[in-house]
Every structure is written in structure tokens, then in C-alpha cells.
């Protein structure tokens, strides 16, 4: 596999003297494997890739995997020249949300007020794919898509070809603070463990490293990883190389050099010989393929699903929290039912059979852990399997472990931001629907 960075910056393009070496364009990575072009994200960096492609003989076909539709990952889309050329063929993939299609989202930034050419006027043949979690193949390249933790529904991608693996995790915040508490051990939080599993034994991890641990205290909930923790993740995964990525617009070249030194020392202290570097615009990496490409036939990506009616049960003795969550979820089309204590939560759950339960841990009477145990032992299989998310201000390791042992699916840690709740609820429900056929 051949990897080339066209944009490495996060949040905002930042060209200029301070970013000459690592680059100012936002997220875009070119991957060539098994004779196929796969482009990861279409931030402003994709403009340069488009020009480079047009300088070669046609056709200029490919696959564009979008992590999520925040501006810094899609702003280059209307400037990607191959999309304008009739005869070219592009497949475009992004996380499919409950309720809105990728095509609508991309056409939104190309409305008349923002851009002079509409999506319909692009000359290439374009196919849109709303993705869920799962595995599929693109021209013999195995793709694994998995949800990231971000204030917009986002997917990380693992690409495998000929025995090599590249993982792209652009915008992701650890689920637990200090996700890998002890070097060499897996994370305690189930979701952080899944994240490490996505990167397991890969040749190259391209990971969000927007902050430092020191900065993170002020940026908790913004959806990004401190570079030191990105290092911990990659070390725990046994990856060979880590490219720190999605550099903060405020981080100049010299500051990035220092951050790389810090992360290299951290990896060495953990006994790892992983190669750590900061992704630089224009940098190319060749990963030797140990096996002959399988040439296996394409399998289809997880199809987008129709939203249907989704009921969310919110349980909290604090009426302000119930109101906040209701106001957050209803605009996305969810039906919200509520309860103010554990006993009534079990009654409402039995009557309403919700698709998701958001459950306060600390309540008078039966607390969140007891309600979780009661649901997990319920006679109704729909309640035994329903995703349960514990709302808590205690995200310490022991508390988390106790919740997971009781059957909790995940945690929502206070204080949280409405955008974060919206994206996590989508991920919990979509993952759920992908795992099991819907019940009658
Ligand atoms: Zn971003
Ligand atoms: Zn983002």
C-alpha cells in the first residue's frame, strides 16, 4: 500500500510561515492498494490531489471515504477536479445518519448561497453510500468501518490489502480519560478497547492528535485526542507506525517537533519501538505487501437503513436533565419517554420497549446499576438486549468497570454537550440495528 498525505491540519486550513513543514491544508489522505485509489476525507488538501490526478492519463476513478461531514473534512469536495469530468466514476462513502442522507449533506454546502455549482452539475458518475459499522471490500481492499467518539457521527476506517493494514482515525476523543491507564494493558472502557482493536497489529495508524494532555483539560468534550494518548492507543494496539494527524491550527512546526519528541519518549518508556512521527503534507509512505492481493470479489458496504420510529427512555430524578436530553433528542425525530426513578423506569420500559435507555446512575430508590441488572434479567428479550447508557459524573476506572459488569452498554459523563449526545445516540442505535435484525 502507498499512502500520501495531502492535508494534515485539523479544524481550519492554516497556510503560512508557521506551518510550512507539516502543512496547512485540512484532512485528506491518498491510499493506493490493489490497483485502486482510495481517498480518506476531502478537506482542502484534496484540491492538490485532484490537480495531480488530472496531470495523468484518464480515467480518474476512485473511492472517497469520508470520516464525517464537519467542514474540515468536506470543504475540498467542490474543488476536487475529477468530479467535474464526464467519464470519471466515483463512489463516495460516509456515516449514514438516522434521518439525513449523505447526498443531502454534501449538497448543503453547495447551495447557491455558498457555492456556484450544485451537486447535480458535477460531470462524473457519482454513487453515494451511507455507511454503518461493518466490513466490506473495495476492489480487493478490505475495509472495516467503526464509529469514533466525536460530536458528529464519525467513522474510523481500517484498510487491509496484501497483508498490510492502515487505520485512519481522524476525529476521535477517548471514551475514558487516560484511556490506557497502564502501558501494555488494554483500556478499561469497553469502547476504548474496541478502538484499540480496530488498530490492532496495523502497519500504520493515522490518528487524531490535536491536543496535548495539558491542553485537554480545557478541551474535554470537543471530540479530539491528546497526542500522548494517541501514542498510548497505538502502542496498546501493537502498531508499527503512528502518524500524529489533525494538527491543531495553533500548533506551529516547532511545537509539533516537540510534541513528536514527547510521544517518542512516551512510547519508549512503555517498552515499544513503534515509529512515531507527525504527518506532513506531501509525505509518502510505502508499506510492503507481504501477501499477493487476494482479488476477492467486492462485498457491499453495510446498507443505509430507514429511520423508522425510535423511542428513547430518559431516566433521571433531576427534571432539568430530563428536559435537556428531551430537547436535545426530539429535533432528530426521536420519541422521548421519561421516568424520574428506578421503579417507574422499569414500568415505562416494559410498556414502551424503547430502542435506547439513557439512565442516571445516582437516583433515590433503585439506582442506575440496579435498574440495569433488572433490565438485563427481564423476561422480555427486547429489554434484555436494549442499549443502556449510564449518565454519570463519575467516570473513574472502578465505577466504569462496575457498570460494564452490570451490563451497561456505555457511559455519558457529565457535563456533556448536546452535539455529543446527538452523535452518540445515533451511533448506539445504528450499531444496535446493524447487530441484530429489528424486532417485531
Ligand atoms: Zn476534523
Ligand atoms: Zn470533526
Amino acid at each position: 500500500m502507498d499512502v500520501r498525505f495531502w492535508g494534515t491540519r485539523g479544524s481550519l486550513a492554516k497556510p503560512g510561515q508557521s506551518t510550512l513543514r507539516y502543512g496547512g491544508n485540512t484532512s485528506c489522505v491518498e491510499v493506493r492498494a490493489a490497483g485502486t485509489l482510495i481517498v480518506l476525507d476531502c478537506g482542502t488538501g484534496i484540491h492538490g490531489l485532484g490537480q495531480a490526478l488530472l496531470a495523468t492519463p484518464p480515467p480518474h476513478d476512485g473511492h472517497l471515504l469520508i470520516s464525517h461531514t464537519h467542514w474540515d473534512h468536506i470543504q475540498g469536495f467542490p474543488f476536487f477536479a475529477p468530479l467535474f469530468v464526464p467519464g470519471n466514476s466515483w463512489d463516495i462513502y460516509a456515516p449514514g445518519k438516522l434521518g439525513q442522507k449523505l447526498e443531502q449533506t454534501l449538497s448543503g454546502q453547495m447551495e447557491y448561497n455558498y457555492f456556484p455549482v450544485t451537486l447535480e452539475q458535477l460531470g462524473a458518475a457519482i454513487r453515494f453510500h451511507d455507511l454503518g459499522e461493518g466490513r466490506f471490500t473495495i476492489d480487493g481492499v478490505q475495509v472495516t468501518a467503526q464509529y469514533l467518539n466525536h460530536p458528529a457521527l464519525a467513522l474510523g476506517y481500517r484498510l487491509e490489502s496484501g497483508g498490510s493494514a492502515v487505520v485512519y482515525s481522524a476525529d476521535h476523543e477517548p471514551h475514558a480519560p487516560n484511556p490506557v491507564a497502564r502501558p501494555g494493558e488494554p483500556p478499561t472502557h469497553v469502547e476504548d478497547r474496541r478502538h484499540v482493536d480496530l488498530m490492532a497489529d496495523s502497519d500504520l495508524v493515522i490518528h487524531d492528535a490535536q491536543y496535548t494532555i495539558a491542553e485537554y483539560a480545557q478541551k474535554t468534550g470537543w471530540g479530539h485526542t491528546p497526542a500522548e494518548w494517541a501514542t498510548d492507543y497505538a502502542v496498546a494496539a501493537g502498531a508499527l507506525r503512528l502518524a500524529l494527524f489533525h494538527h491543531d491550527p495553533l500548533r506551529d512546526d516547532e511545537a509539533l517537533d516537540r510534541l513528536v519528541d514527547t510521544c517518542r519518549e512516551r512510547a519508549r518508556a512503555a517498552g515499544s519501538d513503534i515509529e512515531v512521527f507527525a504527518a506532513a503534507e506531501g509525505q509518502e509512505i510505502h508499506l510492503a505487501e507481504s501477501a499477493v492481493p487476494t482479488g476477492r470479489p467486492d462485498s457491499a458496504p453495510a446498507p443505509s437503513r430507514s429511520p423508522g420510529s425510535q423511542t428513547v427512555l430518559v431516566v433521571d430524578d433531576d427534571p432539568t436533565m430530563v428536559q435537556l436530553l428531551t430537547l436535545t433528542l426530539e429535533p432528530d425525530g426521536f420519541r422521548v419517554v421519561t421516568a424520574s426513578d428506578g421503579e417507574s423506569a422499569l414500568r415505562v420500559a416494559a410498556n414502551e420497549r424503547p430502542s435506547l435507555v439513557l439512565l442516571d446512575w445516582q437516583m433515590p430508590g433503585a439506582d442506575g446499576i440496579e435498574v440495569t441488572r433488572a433490565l438485563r434479567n427481564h423476561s422480555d428479550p427486547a429489554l434484555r438486549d436494549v442499549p443502556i447508557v449510564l449518565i454519570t459524573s463519575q467516570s473513574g476506572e472502578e465505577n466504569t468497570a462496575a457498570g460494564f459488569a452490570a451490563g451497561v452498554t456505555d457511559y455519558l459523563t457529565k457535563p456533556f454537550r448536546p452535539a455529543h449526545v446527538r452523535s452518540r445516540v445515533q451511533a448506539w442505535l445504528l450499531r444496535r440495528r446493524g447487530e441484530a435484525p429489528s424486532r417485531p
Side-chain angles (χ1 to χ4, degrees), residues 9-11 27 68 70 72-73 150 170-171 210 224 246:
R9 197 63 46 181
S11 306
S27 303
H68 65 307
H70 277 162
D72 51 324
H73 300 259
H150 197 58
D171 288 38
Q210 180 142 357
H224 299 289
H246 206 268

Side-chain angles (χ1 to χ4, degrees), residues 25 39 58 114 139 234 237 261 291 305 320 374 391:
N25 280 303
V39 182
Y114 310 109
D139 295 347
D261 288 343
R305 305 177 187 94
T320 312
I391 306 168

Side-chain angles (χ1 to χ4, degrees), residues 93 129 131-138 142-143 297-303:
Y93 311 76
H129 307 269
L131 283 186
E133 279 193 339
R135 287 161 73 86
F136 59 102
T137 39
I138 296 173
Q142 181 84 46
V143 182
D298 280 10
S299 63

Side-chain angles (χ1 to χ4, degrees), residues 79-101:
F79 297 91
F80 186 46
L83 297 178
F84 289 83
V85 182
N88 290 343
S89 166
W90 280 83
D91 285 89
I92 300 172
Y93 311 76
K97 282 178 262 194
L98 292 164
Q100 184 163 359
K101 307 290 268 179

